[in-house]
Amino acid sequence: MGEKRSSSGFLVKQRAFLKLYMITMTEQERLYGLKLLDVLRDEFRPYGFRPNHSEVYKALHDLIEDGILKQVKKKKEGMKFQEVVYYKFTDGGYEKAQRYKQQLKVELERCEAMLKKAIRDNFSPIHK
């Protein structure tokens, strides 16, 4: 996790984007996988982005492997045997998460500038 994220020079990868949201949603205590997936789908529906189940879980597993998040199993409220897996920061994970978010912020700002340039270059009145 200590290594600097390397850019492909194009746009941010989906997994990195999802990891950013997993971190922020954990900070907001929206903690379990299926709930995270539902919230992401609702929030990004207007933009035509519908993250799939496997990509969300791969992002969560990356964060676990990076030592940022950990899984905590709890009994589902009102259920005797059904467990739900929640995600919380590990000891030291919150600080690692903040570093990751800062690195990704720089990358997102670069992508935003690139997209604005593409719109300007290809759709400004000069080009019509």
Side-chain angles (χ1 to χ4, degrees):
M1 182 64 217
E3 72 280 352
K4 186 160 172 70
R5 209 179 127 5
S6 63
S7 170
S8 66
F10 195 57
L11 300 178
V12 69
K13 295 188 183 326
Q14 176 180 243
R15 180 91 45 93
F17 186 80
L18 290 172
K19 286 167 66 173
L20 173 66
Y21 273 87
M22 299 296 106
I23 289 168
T24 299
M25 293 169 80
T26 300
E27 289 170 340
Q28 297 167 350
E29 298 186 4
R30 298 184 195 179
L31 303 171
Y32 67 95
L34 286 177
K35 178 69 173 169
L36 298 171
L37 179 62
D38 289 343
V39 169
L40 284 171
R41 286 179 174 172
D42 287 344
E43 289 185 7
F44 287 100
R45 182 174 289 118
Y47 306 100
F49 177 51
R50 188 174 194 274
N52 67 44
H53 181 273
S54 65
E55 279 304 313
V56 168
Y57 279 94
K58 286 176 185 176
L60 284 167
H61 293 154
D62 281 357
L63 291 168
I64 290 168
E65 288 177 19
D66 291 341
I68 294 173
L69 295 182
K70 64 181 176 182
Q71 293 180 328
V72 179
K73 293 182 181 182
K74 293 184 180 179
K75 297 273 189 249
K76 191 169 182 179
E77 203 169 298
M79 304 298 281
K80 199 172 197 176
F81 299 107
Q82 190 175 2
E83 289 185 329
V84 177
V85 176
Y86 288 84
Y87 296 87
K88 294 187 174 204
F89 290 109
T90 61
D91 291 336
Y94 180 77
E95 292 77 17
K96 288 180 184 178
Q98 295 312 300
R99 285 192 299 275
Y100 182 81
K101 283 178 71 170
Q102 190 55 47
Q103 289 173 354
L104 206 56
K105 181 178 186 285
V106 170
E107 185 70 7
L108 287 169
E109 288 169 343
R110 185 193 62 78
C111 293
E112 178 186 34
M114 198 166 107
L115 291 169
K116 284 180 179 179
K117 177 179 175 26
I119 291 168
R120 225 179 16 255
D121 290 352
N122 295 286
F123 301 101
S124 68
I126 296 170
H127 292 95
K128 290 187 179 184

